[in-house]
Protein backbone atom coordinates (compact mmCIF):
# COMPACT_ATOMS: atom_id res chain seq x y z
CA UNK A 1 0.00 0.00 0.00
CA UNK A 2 1.38 3.39 -0.99
CA UNK A 3 1.40 6.35 1.38
CA UNK A 4 -1.37 7.97 -0.65
CA UNK A 5 -3.48 4.81 -0.47
CA UNK A 6 -2.90 4.59 3.29
CA UNK A 7 -3.85 8.21 3.85
CA UNK A 8 -6.90 7.96 1.60
CA UNK A 9 -8.15 4.86 3.43
CA UNK A 10 -7.70 6.46 6.86
CA UNK A 11 -9.33 9.74 5.81
CA UNK A 12 -12.30 7.89 4.28
CA UNK A 13 -12.74 5.80 7.43
CA UNK A 14 -12.57 8.90 9.64
CA UNK A 15 -15.23 10.66 7.59
CA UNK A 16 -17.50 7.62 7.73
CA UNK A 17 -17.19 7.71 11.51
CA UNK A 18 -17.90 11.46 11.48
CA UNK A 19 -21.02 10.91 9.40
CA UNK A 20 -22.27 8.29 11.84
CA UNK A 21 -21.28 9.76 15.21
CA UNK A 22 -20.12 13.36 14.65
CA UNK A 23 -16.63 14.74 14.14
CA UNK A 24 -16.05 15.24 17.87
CA UNK A 25 -16.10 11.46 18.37
CA UNK A 26 -13.49 10.71 15.70
CA UNK A 27 -9.90 9.80 16.60
CA UNK A 28 -6.94 8.70 14.50
CA UNK A 29 -6.84 5.37 16.32
CA UNK A 30 -10.55 4.72 15.75
CA UNK A 31 -10.22 5.57 12.05
CA UNK A 32 -7.18 3.28 11.70
CA UNK A 33 -9.03 0.40 13.35
CA UNK A 34 -12.09 1.00 11.16
CA UNK A 35 -9.88 0.88 8.05
CA UNK A 36 -7.86 -2.11 9.35
CA UNK A 37 -4.63 -0.10 9.23
CA UNK A 38 -1.64 -0.53 11.57
CA UNK A 39 -1.83 1.88 14.50
CA UNK A 40 1.90 2.60 14.59
CA UNK A 41 1.87 3.83 10.99
CA UNK A 42 -1.30 5.85 11.57
CA UNK A 43 0.39 7.52 14.56
CA UNK A 44 3.45 8.35 12.47
CA UNK A 45 1.47 9.83 9.61
CA UNK A 46 -1.32 11.53 11.59
CA UNK A 47 0.00 13.10 14.81
CA UNK A 48 -3.44 14.47 15.68
CA UNK A 49 -7.04 14.26 14.50
CA UNK A 50 -6.82 17.61 12.72
CA UNK A 51 -4.24 16.18 10.33
CA UNK A 52 -7.02 14.00 8.92
CA UNK A 53 -8.81 17.11 7.65
CA UNK A 54 -5.63 18.70 6.41
CA UNK A 55 -4.85 15.55 4.47
CA UNK A 56 -8.39 15.52 3.08
CA UNK A 57 -7.77 18.97 1.62
CA UNK A 58 -4.43 17.91 0.22
CA UNK A 59 -5.98 14.86 -1.45
CA UNK A 60 -8.75 17.05 -2.90
CA UNK A 61 -6.11 19.40 -4.31
CA UNK A 62 -4.25 16.48 -5.87
CA UNK A 63 -7.46 15.24 -7.48
CA UNK A 64 -8.15 18.71 -8.88
CA UNK A 65 -4.63 19.21 -10.19
CA UNK A 66 -4.24 15.79 -11.84
CA UNK A 67 -4.48 16.34 -15.60
CA UNK A 68 -5.61 19.91 -14.91
CA UNK A 69 -6.78 21.90 -17.94
CA UNK A 70 -3.84 23.74 -19.50
CA UNK A 71 -5.72 25.84 -22.04
CA UNK A 72 -8.75 28.09 -22.20
CA UNK A 73 -9.88 31.22 -20.32
CA UNK A 74 -8.70 31.54 -16.75
CA UNK A 75 -12.25 31.61 -15.43
CA UNK A 76 -13.20 28.37 -17.20
CA UNK A 77 -10.06 26.62 -15.97
CA UNK A 78 -10.66 27.80 -12.41
CA UNK A 79 -14.28 26.66 -12.60
CA UNK A 80 -13.14 23.18 -13.66
CA UNK A 81 -10.51 22.98 -10.93
CA UNK A 82 -12.91 23.99 -8.16
CA UNK A 83 -15.57 21.59 -9.37
CA UNK A 84 -12.96 18.81 -9.27
CA UNK A 85 -12.43 19.62 -5.59
CA UNK A 86 -16.18 19.39 -5.02
CA UNK A 87 -16.18 16.02 -6.81
CA UNK A 88 -13.49 14.82 -4.39
CA UNK A 89 -15.57 15.99 -1.41
CA UNK A 90 -18.70 14.42 -2.89
CA UNK A 91 -17.21 10.94 -2.44
CA UNK A 92 -17.25 11.57 1.34
CA UNK A 93 -20.18 13.96 1.38
CA UNK A 94 -21.85 13.02 4.67
CA UNK A 95 -18.58 13.06 6.58
CA UNK A 96 -17.49 16.41 5.16
CA UNK A 97 -20.85 17.95 6.06
CA UNK A 98 -20.50 16.55 9.59
CA UNK A 99 -17.15 18.34 9.88
CA UNK A 100 -18.62 21.59 8.54
CA UNK A 101 -21.37 21.49 11.13
CA UNK A 102 -18.82 20.97 13.90
CA UNK A 103 -16.70 24.00 12.98
CA UNK A 104 -18.81 26.70 14.72
CA UNK A 105 -18.14 24.86 17.99
CA UNK A 106 -14.38 24.54 17.37
CA UNK A 107 -12.92 27.99 16.51
CA UNK A 108 -9.25 26.84 16.54
CA UNK A 109 -10.06 24.15 13.98
CA UNK A 110 -12.01 26.64 11.85
CA UNK A 111 -9.06 29.04 11.97
CA UNK A 112 -6.62 26.31 11.01
CA UNK A 113 -8.73 25.19 8.07
CA UNK A 114 -9.13 28.76 6.86
CA UNK A 115 -5.39 29.16 6.34
CA UNK A 116 -5.29 25.76 4.62
CA UNK A 117 -8.16 26.81 2.37
CA UNK A 118 -6.28 29.92 1.26
CA UNK A 119 -3.24 27.81 0.39
CA UNK A 120 -5.45 25.47 -1.62
CA UNK A 121 -7.00 28.39 -3.48
CA UNK A 122 -3.54 29.69 -4.34
CA UNK A 123 -2.79 26.34 -5.94
CA UNK A 124 -6.04 26.46 -7.91
CA UNK A 125 -5.38 30.02 -9.11
CA UNK A 126 -1.82 29.22 -10.16
CA UNK A 127 -3.02 26.10 -11.96
CA UNK A 128 -5.64 28.21 -13.77
CA UNK A 129 -2.88 30.44 -15.13
CA UNK A 130 -2.64 33.32 -12.66
CA UNK A 131 0.60 34.45 -11.04
CA UNK A 132 0.14 35.71 -7.50
CA UNK A 133 2.59 38.31 -6.22
CA UNK A 134 2.50 40.86 -3.43
CA UNK A 135 -0.61 42.51 -1.97
CA UNK A 136 -2.63 42.08 -5.15
CA UNK A 137 -1.89 38.36 -5.14
CA UNK A 138 -3.02 38.16 -1.52
CA UNK A 139 -6.25 39.97 -2.41
CA UNK A 140 -6.91 37.62 -5.33
CA UNK A 141 -6.33 34.59 -3.11
CA UNK A 142 -8.71 35.91 -0.46
CA UNK A 143 -11.29 36.65 -3.14
CA UNK A 144 -11.01 33.06 -4.34
CA UNK A 145 -11.51 31.85 -0.76
CA UNK A 146 -14.75 33.84 -0.73
CA UNK A 147 -15.81 32.23 -4.01
CA UNK A 148 -15.04 28.78 -2.61
CA UNK A 149 -16.87 29.30 0.69
CA UNK A 150 -19.94 30.76 -0.98
CA UNK A 151 -20.04 27.76 -3.31
CA UNK A 152 -19.35 25.36 -0.43
CA UNK A 153 -22.52 26.57 1.27
CA UNK A 154 -24.44 25.75 -1.92
CA UNK A 155 -22.76 22.33 -2.16
CA UNK A 156 -23.90 21.52 1.38
CA UNK A 157 -27.52 22.07 0.29
CA UNK A 158 -27.17 20.58 -3.20
CA UNK A 159 -28.76 17.12 -3.42
CA UNK A 160 -28.68 16.85 -7.22
CA UNK A 161 -26.67 14.01 -8.75
CA UNK A 162 -24.83 16.32 -11.15
CA UNK A 163 -24.25 19.10 -8.58
CA UNK A 164 -26.04 21.52 -10.88
CA UNK A 165 -26.88 23.86 -7.99
CA UNK A 166 -23.23 23.98 -6.93
CA UNK A 167 -22.12 24.66 -10.50
CA UNK A 168 -24.60 27.51 -10.88
CA UNK A 169 -23.52 29.11 -7.59
CA UNK A 170 -19.82 28.74 -8.42
CA UNK A 171 -20.35 30.27 -11.85
CA UNK A 172 -22.23 33.22 -10.33
CA UNK A 173 -19.49 33.72 -7.72
CA UNK A 174 -16.80 33.75 -10.39
CA UNK A 175 -18.84 36.28 -12.36
CA UNK A 176 -18.95 38.56 -9.32
CA UNK A 177 -15.22 38.25 -8.78
CA UNK A 178 -14.57 38.92 -12.46
CA UNK A 179 -16.65 42.09 -12.40
CA UNK A 180 -15.28 43.28 -9.07
CA UNK A 181 -11.63 43.55 -10.02
CA UNK A 182 -11.07 41.79 -13.32
CA UNK A 183 -8.76 39.31 -11.59
CA UNK A 184 -9.87 36.46 -13.82
CA UNK A 185 -8.71 38.23 -16.93
CA UNK A 186 -11.33 40.90 -17.53
CA UNK A 187 -14.88 40.78 -18.93
CA UNK A 188 -15.86 37.47 -20.42
CA UNK A 189 -16.53 37.52 -24.13
CA UNK A 190 -19.71 35.87 -25.38
CA UNK A 191 -19.14 32.31 -26.55
CA UNK A 192 -20.17 31.35 -30.07
CA UNK A 193 -23.27 29.21 -30.33
CA UNK A 194 -22.55 25.50 -30.15
CA UNK A 195 -23.46 23.70 -33.33
CA UNK A 196 -24.50 20.11 -33.58
CA UNK A 197 -25.38 19.48 -29.93
CA UNK A 198 -22.02 20.21 -28.33
CA UNK A 199 -21.29 19.61 -24.67
CA UNK A 200 -23.29 22.27 -22.88
CA UNK A 201 -23.83 20.38 -19.65
CA UNK A 202 -20.35 21.17 -18.36
CA UNK A 203 -21.28 24.79 -17.64
CA UNK A 204 -24.28 26.42 -15.97
CA UNK A 205 -26.59 28.65 -17.92
CA UNK A 206 -24.77 31.93 -18.51
CA UNK A 207 -27.94 33.96 -18.18
CA UNK A 208 -26.62 34.80 -14.73
CA UNK A 209 -24.27 37.28 -16.44
CA UNK A 210 -27.26 39.55 -16.96
CA UNK A 211 -28.72 39.01 -13.51
CA UNK A 212 -25.70 39.80 -11.33
CA UNK A 213 -25.00 43.52 -10.68
CA UNK A 214 -21.41 44.76 -10.40
CA UNK A 215 -19.97 44.58 -6.87
CA UNK A 216 -16.75 45.39 -5.09
CA UNK A 217 -14.31 42.56 -4.39
CA UNK A 218 -14.67 43.19 -0.67
CA UNK A 219 -18.34 42.24 -0.95
CA UNK A 220 -17.38 38.73 -2.05
CA UNK A 221 -15.51 38.08 1.17
CA UNK A 222 -17.80 39.94 3.52
CA UNK A 223 -19.38 38.08 6.41
CA UNK A 224 -22.80 38.24 4.81
CA UNK A 225 -21.57 36.30 1.76
CA UNK A 226 -19.72 33.55 3.62
CA UNK A 227 -21.31 30.37 4.93
CA UNK A 228 -21.72 30.06 8.65
CA UNK A 229 -20.98 26.35 8.57
CA UNK A 230 -18.07 26.12 6.13
CA UNK A 231 -14.35 26.12 6.89
CA UNK A 232 -13.16 29.65 7.58
CA UNK A 233 -9.50 29.37 8.00
CA UNK A 234 -5.59 26.56 8.98
CA UNK A 235 -2.42 26.64 10.91
CA UNK A 236 0.24 28.29 8.69
CA UNK A 237 2.60 25.53 9.67
CA UNK A 238 0.25 22.64 8.97
CA UNK A 239 1.36 20.08 6.38
CA UNK A 240 -1.44 20.24 3.88
CA UNK A 241 -4.65 21.94 2.89
CA UNK A 242 -8.37 21.34 3.19
CA UNK A 243 -11.71 22.70 2.23
Amino acid sequence: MTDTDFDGALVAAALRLAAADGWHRVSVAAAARAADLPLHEARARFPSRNWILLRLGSLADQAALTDAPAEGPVRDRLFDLLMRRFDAFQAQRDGVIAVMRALPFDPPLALMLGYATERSMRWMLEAAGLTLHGPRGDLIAKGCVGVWLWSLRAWERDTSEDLSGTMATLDAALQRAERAAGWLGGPRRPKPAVQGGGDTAARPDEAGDRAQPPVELSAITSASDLPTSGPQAADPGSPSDLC
Side-chain angles (χ1 to χ4, degrees):
M1 177 181 287
T2 67
D3 289 347
T4 299
D5 290 339
F6 184 100
D7 293 355
L10 191 142
V11 168
L15 291 175
R16 287 194 297 271
L17 293 176
D21 302 319
W23 174 247
H24 66 287
R25 293 183 178 273
V26 175
S27 70
V28 175
R33 285 193 294 267
D36 197 22
L37 297 171
L39 289 177
H40 70 279
E41 189 170 351
R43 171 63 180 85
R45 297 190 61 77
F46 294 85
S48 72
R49 180 180 63 169
N50 289 349
W51 284 54
I52 295 172
L53 300 182
L54 296 172
R55 188 61 177 131
L56 169 64
S58 177
L59 291 170
D61 289 347
Q62 291 176 34
L65 295 169
T66 299
D67 298 323
E71 298 180 352
V74 169
R75 183 177 131 184
D76 287 354
R77 291 161 65 182
L78 184 57
F79 177 93
D80 288 338
L81 288 162
L82 295 181
M83 283 307 305
R84 286 172 179 226
R85 290 194 94 238
F86 280 121
D87 288 339
F89 283 2
Q90 187 71 4
Q92 305 295 338
R93 178 181 177 83
D94 291 343
V96 173
I97 291 176
V99 172
M100 291 169 63
R101 291 176 178 171
L103 290 179
F105 307 99
D106 193 343
L109 177 61
L111 180 64
M112 182 190 72
L113 293 183
Y115 283 113
T117 299
E118 184 171 338
R119 287 201 303 275
S120 290
M121 293 305 103
R122 285 179 175 272
W123 272 104
M124 299 303 107
L125 289 163
E126 293 270 7
L130 291 176
T131 301
L132 307 179
H133 292 304
R136 183 174 184 274
D138 293 340
L139 184 62
I140 290 173
K142 291 184 186 302
C144 193
V145 170
V147 166
W148 172 257
L149 293 177
W150 190 22
S151 303
L152 187 67
R153 181 171 58 183
W155 173 81
E156 182 183 4
R157 300 190 303 263
D158 190 355
T159 58
S160 63
E161 291 186 4
D162 60 356
L163 296 183
S164 56
T166 304
M167 287 195 294
T169 299
L170 175 58
D171 192 61
L174 291 174
Q175 289 172 20
R176 295 187 69 187
E178 193 170 50
R179 287 193 179 94
W183 54 271
L184 296 180
R188 194 178 192 184
R189 296 174 181 172
K191 291 184 178 181
V194 177
Q195 300 294 329
D199 182 11
T200 59
R203 293 287 181 276
D205 191 333
E206 293 187 19
D209 284 333
R210 296 186 295 275
Q212 293 290 334
V215 297
E216 296 297 327
L217 183 60
S218 58
I220 298 172
T221 55
S222 67
S224 61
D225 278 337
L226 299 184
T228 58
S229 58
Q232 301 294 315
D235 175 15
S238 55
S240 14
D241 315 305
L242 175 72
C243 303

